[in-house]
Amino acid sequence: MYKVVLIGAGNLATSLGHALKKAGHQVVQVWSRTQESASVLASALQAEALTDVECIVKDADVYVFALKDSALESIAQQVCPPRSNGVFLHTAGSMPMTLFSHYASHFGVFYPMQTFSKSRVLDFNEIPLFVEASDEVAETVVTAMAESISEHVTHLCSADRKYLHLAAVFACNFANHCYALSERLLQEHGLPFDVMLPLIDETARKVHHLSPVKAQTGPAVRYDENVIGRQMELLAHDADMQQIYDILSKNIHKLHQ
């Protein structure tokens, strides 16, 4: 079991921190830019809350960076050099492992392929983890830590991981945005979004057994111009939604030709 410092206290760090603690690792500190965020997560993990990088311990086994991409390298530059005996891991889908190369000897990536929210602490056991390491020391640590919390661990290089992340944006973020557009349409006409939940759930269940292409239904598959034309007219008040509808409909039809 490892002595871990969490650099970040957001959505991913919250679920990961709980998973590491449950697996027997010791989360000793939680660093965040804001005291409130650091304190909430640190309290739940029985760890020390920090907002000062200088106060991060120098004897942890693993330092896990769960930060937005734009902040990652600048914080790594401050944290890594004085703590060179540790293993430094980031959790970003699109950032290369090599961002640590100028600041650390042992480093890697610990990328959970899941969507996270602070209000929902997830069970990591079913979450696919994609790991990468700079050397044998980092590989031993990142693999052992990943396998302690998940049954689905895969070694994946940075070049391939960025495509995994891109695919996840389509499967999760863009799909969820379509839910948001659906909710807005319903609200405009006094209808609750929960009427969509059985449909959403069945669609998700189907792709466990069918290719998404084979699971696709609706007017765009056969490009039913009567239905599509009428629905485009309903969106005449919103050029952005009309354009999204048009692009998606044509692309769905293209995949089925």
Side-chain angles (χ1 to χ4, degrees), residues 190-241:
L191 296 167
F193 179 68
D194 60 15
V195 300
M196 291 291 157
L197 296 180
L199 178 63
I200 291 169
D201 292 343
E202 176 58 17
T203 303
R205 282 192 292 266
K206 280 201 295 188
V207 296
H208 282 262
H209 309 288
L210 295 172
S211 159
V213 172
K214 291 184 178 179
Q216 187 73 56
T217 61
V221 173
R222 59 192 181 276
Y223 210 76
D224 186 328
E225 294 186 11
N226 289 328
V227 175
I228 290 170
R230 288 195 296 271
Q231 293 190 335
M232 287 281 284
E233 287 176 8
L234 293 175
L235 295 171
H237 66 289
D238 190 323
D240 287 343
M241 282 189 70

Side-chain angles (χ1 to χ4, degrees), residues 29 33 56 69 98 107-109 142 160 173 192 196 200 243:
Q29 292 178 323
R33 291 185 184 275
I56 296 173
D69 291 2
T98 52
F107 51 89
V109 176
V142 70
D160 289 334
N173 305 129
M196 291 291 157
I200 291 169
Q243 185 178 19

